[in-house]
Each structure stands twice: as structure tokens, then as C-alpha cells.
Amino acid sequence: MIDKRIAVIGTPGKWSTDVLADHLEARTGFRCVVDMAEVVLELETGKLRYGDILLNELDGVIIKKVSETYSPAADDRIRMLSSLEADGVRCFSRPGQISRLINRLEGTAALASGNVSLPPTRVTENTDEALEAIREFGKAILKPLYSTKARGMVVLDVANDEAVNRRKLDAFRDRHGLFYLQKFVNLGGQDLGMVFIGGEYMCTYARVSGANTWNTTIHSGGKYQAYHASPELIALGRQAQACFELSFTTVDIALTDDGPVVFEVSAFGGFSGALKGCGLDAAGAVCDHVLAELQTDNREPA
């Protein structure tokens, strides 16, 4: 039994949150699941309280989930957690790195700056420029800046009447503001999730699409399968995740006719794909990584 008090920032009752808490309790004897909707930040002191627990007194927190959806509010919750890091509490992953991935544009811009292979992407507020991007791409995916599991995404095809595309763009702008357009790439019925813990490659699984859907998300009926990634593909995933400093992440990769491209690096990563696709207990591996890091912190300097 390791004498460390580590909380899980997550969604009480959700499997991915509870399995982390179970592993931590088995290793440390301490269990605490924190729902960010119930947390209070005292700005004058920097103290973060969850009920009777002062989170600033913990040895660490594992940030699994701050909200069921990505939104500016989710980013606000991440910024609240930054006060823990400022007070010396180890956060896995670091709030500042997670924040870079909550907003799709900021995350993609970081990947582009890292010379990671991406689908051609255009960002604009101008409807005419957005229509020009659709003409250039032939087919495009219009993506909200804050979303997961393909929610809110719209497929726009140059074969459609331009007036139809314009109406869809205007309706999207009324709801989301900025246009973020990526060239539609043929997934061949699957894309990949490449798992990294502490920057180390663990495994790759495939998400195979369900019937009559353009995306492969489990939310839309996709299924997990094992996948043997080549060294070149692993190198691409490693390059992408290295743009951020995450304790645990999955890199979403598509194998296109023009070669592999990275769609995104996950702010939190999923345990289910690693378990069902690779047979990897990622939650347990994350806990082992976190405890090893905290034990290293406590070692006396040589």
C-alpha cells in the first residue's frame, strides 16, 4: 500500500472515472472522485474545495473528465484546476496542456506548428471564403470548435446546390460562430486510436464504422478492433502527442489515399478502446505511472 492521497477529477458513476478510482483505492487505500460542478475556488487564497475536502492538500489529481461535453465552460473548469498546480499539487495531465486541446482550433494549430501531417484545414468567419474552401476541397467537414465524438459536425459537398451550402453555413455560424473546415478524407471504414502514457507508446486500436455513417465514432455505432501499427505510423503518433505534455492520451489517425493524417490528440483519452481493442488496462497503467511519478518526486537528491 502506497501512502498517497490522489483524487480523480471525473464524472461520478461513469465507468472510466470509477475504474481509475478503484485502481487508486487498491494501491493507496484512498478514494476520492471529484465532480467539478460541485467544486468551489477561493480566488483570494487559491484554495479549491470539494465538500469537506481541500484539494490543495492532496498529493495529486488525475484529470479524467471535467465535463460531458467540450465547451468554454469546460475550459473554465480546467483553469480552476490550475490553482492546484500553482500550490504544488501534481496534476495528471497538467491543466495548461489540457486547456490547449479543449478548443479544436488551438489544438490543431499546435499540431500544424509541430509539422504533423493533417487534413487540409481552413478557418474563417466569412461565408464566401468558406464556400471557396468547399470548392477547393470538393467535400468538407464543418466542425464546431468545442465538440467530441463528431457531435455537431456537418458534411458539405461541392455537388450540393451552393445556396444549400450557404444556408447550412449561415445556420452553423449562428450557433457556433467561426467556420472550421477540414477536407473530407476517405477513412476506408476505420480510423485509429494510438495510446500513449507518459509519452510512451502503448498500443493502437481501430474504430470500425457502423452501417450508413461517415464517421467511425462509437457514439455513431463504431466498434473497436485490434490493429498492428507500423513503426512509421507509431512515429507519427509520437510526433503528434509530443506537441503536448499529457500523462495519458490517444492520437486519432486516419489512413487516407494520400497517406496517414492526424485528426486530433485527445485532451483526456479513452480507456474503453484500449481495453476492448488492445486488451490493455489503461486505467491501471495510468495509476502506476502517476504513482511512479509521485514516488520520484519524494526521492532525496543524490
Side-chain angles (χ1 to χ4, degrees):
M1 199 70 73
I2 300 172
D3 185 21
K4 294 292 180 184
R5 299 172 73 239
I6 306 163
V8 177
I9 309 297
T11 306
K14 289 287 186 177
W15 174 78
S16 60
T17 296
D18 287 345
V19 72
L20 264 179
D22 290 344
H23 277 297
L24 285 172
E25 185 176 19
R27 289 159 170 77
T28 69
F30 179 79
R31 185 186 186 92
C32 178
V33 174
V34 177
D35 181 352
M36 284 300 296
E38 305 299 326
V39 168
V40 177
L41 170 62
E42 300 174 357
L43 279 175
E44 67 275 17
T45 64
K47 302 302 182 186
L48 214 61
R49 297 186 181 277
Y50 179 65
D52 295 332
I53 299 174
L54 182 61
L55 301 183
N56 305 65
E57 294 180 347
L58 299 177
D59 295 294
V61 297
I62 300 177
I63 306 173
K64 182 63 189 78
K65 185 80 75 174
V66 295
S67 173
E68 285 304 298
T69 59
Y70 285 11
S71 67
D75 199 21
D76 291 339
R77 290 178 175 182
I78 289 295
R79 295 177 190 280
M80 289 172 67
L81 289 169
S82 296
S83 67
L84 294 182
E85 192 173 44
D87 213 16
V89 179
R90 288 291 303 274
C91 297
F92 304 90
S93 299
R94 297 176 60 193
Q97 296 298 319
I98 293 175
S99 182
R100 297 171 66 204
L101 288 163
I102 295 293
N103 179 297
R104 176 171 277 110
L105 175 55
E106 185 170 356
T108 308
L111 292 170
S113 295
N115 296 315
V116 175
S117 179
L118 303 166
T121 305
R122 302 290 180 270
V123 182
T124 182
E125 296 181 39
N126 185 287
T127 302
D128 290 331
E129 292 293 343
L131 288 167
E132 178 58 33
I134 296 168
R135 286 191 288 270
E136 179 186 348
F137 294 160
K139 197 173 184 180
I141 308 294
L142 182 61
K143 300 182 177 184
L145 294 189
Y146 298 95
S147 75
T148 58
K149 299 180 174 61
R151 295 184 181 97
M153 295 185 184
V154 180
V155 179
L156 298 171
D157 197 317
V158 71
N160 296 338
D161 187 281
E162 188 168 289
V164 173
N165 284 339
R166 184 180 290 274
R167 284 197 296 272
K168 289 182 177 180
L169 285 165
D170 288 342
F172 184 93
R173 184 176 56 194
D174 289 344
R175 182 173 182 180
H176 299 289
L178 201 69
F179 299 130
Y180 176 106
L181 290 141
Q182 277 192 331
K183 184 177 179 179
F184 187 96
V185 297
N186 182 14
L187 298 178
Q190 71 172 13
D191 70 347
L192 308 177
M194 191 171 287
V195 181
F196 291 86
I197 296 178
E200 296 298 320
Y201 172 73
M202 305 300 291
C203 68
T204 301
Y205 57 85
R207 284 178 293 251
V208 182
S209 63
N212 303 317
T213 180
W214 61 267
N215 70 75
T216 63
T217 65
I218 306 306
H219 177 74
S220 297
K223 304 295 182 184
Y224 295 119
Q225 291 183 2
Y227 186 89
H228 180 70
S230 67
E232 293 78 15
L233 206 57
I234 294 171
L236 174 61
R238 182 173 285 112
Q239 179 188 5
Q241 64 86 36
C243 295
F244 311 93
E245 298 174 18
L246 299 168
S247 303
F248 173 67
T249 189
T250 54
V251 180
D252 291 347
I253 298 176
L255 304 177
T256 77
D257 296 337
D258 298 319
V261 295
V262 172
F263 278 142
E264 65 181 15
V265 175
S266 173
F268 304 103
F271 296 149
S272 186
L275 184 61
K276 295 176 181 178
C278 306
L280 171 68
D281 178 9
V286 167
C287 289
D288 290 339
H289 167 72
V290 167
L291 288 169
E293 288 288 303
L294 291 174
Q295 291 289 91
T296 300
D297 286 350
N298 287 346
R299 290 176 187 167
E300 293 295 328

